[in-house]
Amino acid sequence: MMAMRSKLVAGNWKMHGGMVQNQALLSAIVMGTAALRKADFAVCAPYPYLSQTQTLLRDTPIRWGAQNVSQYDKGAYTGEVSAAMLVDFGCRYVIAGHSERRALYGEDSHTVALKFKAAQAAGLIPILCVGETLDQREAAITEQVVAEQLDAIIESAGINALVQSVLAYEPVWAIGTGKTATPGQAQDVHAFIRDRVAAHNPEVAAGLKILYGGSVKASNAEELFAMPDIDGGLIGGASLVADEFIAICRAANN
Ligand code: PEP
């Protein structure tokens, strides 16, 4: 039996944007997605723009979130931002374990699990990113790598924690490179992830949104989203271009 999962398209602006560009981009996205009722849409903005994002999106169906969160509640953690602070700015989502955080800021699966739990404890929906590097794919250990990243969360937070979360399969070699996984390559890993969750709890697996991320564009979104285990996308570069992002949202809404 096919589970009915609505699709989600989430933009990850990374360290891009500014007050003027954000205003134009968000206004265009609000208008361009107004008629799309079936799928859900969100943008993950840099911390300083969460207030602006909240102001521009609060009366729209588009949700917003952050790209990172501290694993700690409060205290002497200079430069960090807590999950409760994100809630203060109306965030629904927060990305956890993006490959850029894992690779450039030394976040290991243990830290990612703590961040995932801190986000949920505050009422946020973590978007947990998993994915292999090119070397790992070529060494045929993609499933092993993704399983390790997923298992760290399941062991730490429990299988039921996945109910209030979103997963994103993001092959590192496809992020920001213009090289997209083929729909078949992505589907294989998405199905692997869902099976692994199903081994713990089939119902949780059936309801779990698994997004694909890695050079999704207007021109390839439709064929990716047509795969049975791909429930939308996490969009980097193309989320900064209103027409591209809107077209991807439209593909998810079909
Ligand atoms: C991302 O940053 O999560 C991402 C998928 O980036 P891009 O779409 O630019 O590959």
Side-chain angles (χ1 to χ4, degrees), residues 12 14 98 100 129 170 174-178 213-216 234-238:
N12 171 18
K14 313 196 190 198
H98 191 281
E100 288 154 17
C129 300
E170 298 209 310
I175 296 179
T177 59
S215 299
V216 177
L234 183 56
I235 318 299

Side-chain angles (χ1 to χ4, degrees), residues 192-204:
F192 169 77
I193 292 169
R194 202 178 303 285
D195 285 348
R196 198 160 182 98
V197 173
H200 293 269
N201 186 322
E203 254 176 82
V204 173

Side-chain angles (χ1 to χ4, degrees), residues 150-203:
L150 178 64
D151 291 354
I153 301 299
I154 296 174
E155 280 159 26
S156 172
I159 192 70
N160 289 319
L162 292 184
V163 173
Q164 287 299 322
S165 78
V166 172
L167 257 54
Y169 168 56
E170 298 209 310
V172 177
W173 49 271
I175 296 179
T177 59
K179 257 199 238 170
T180 318
T182 65
Q185 278 175 325
Q187 167 59 28
D188 285 349
V189 181
H190 283 233
F192 169 77
I193 292 169
R194 202 178 303 285
D195 285 348
R196 198 160 182 98
V197 173
H200 293 269
N201 186 322
E203 254 176 82

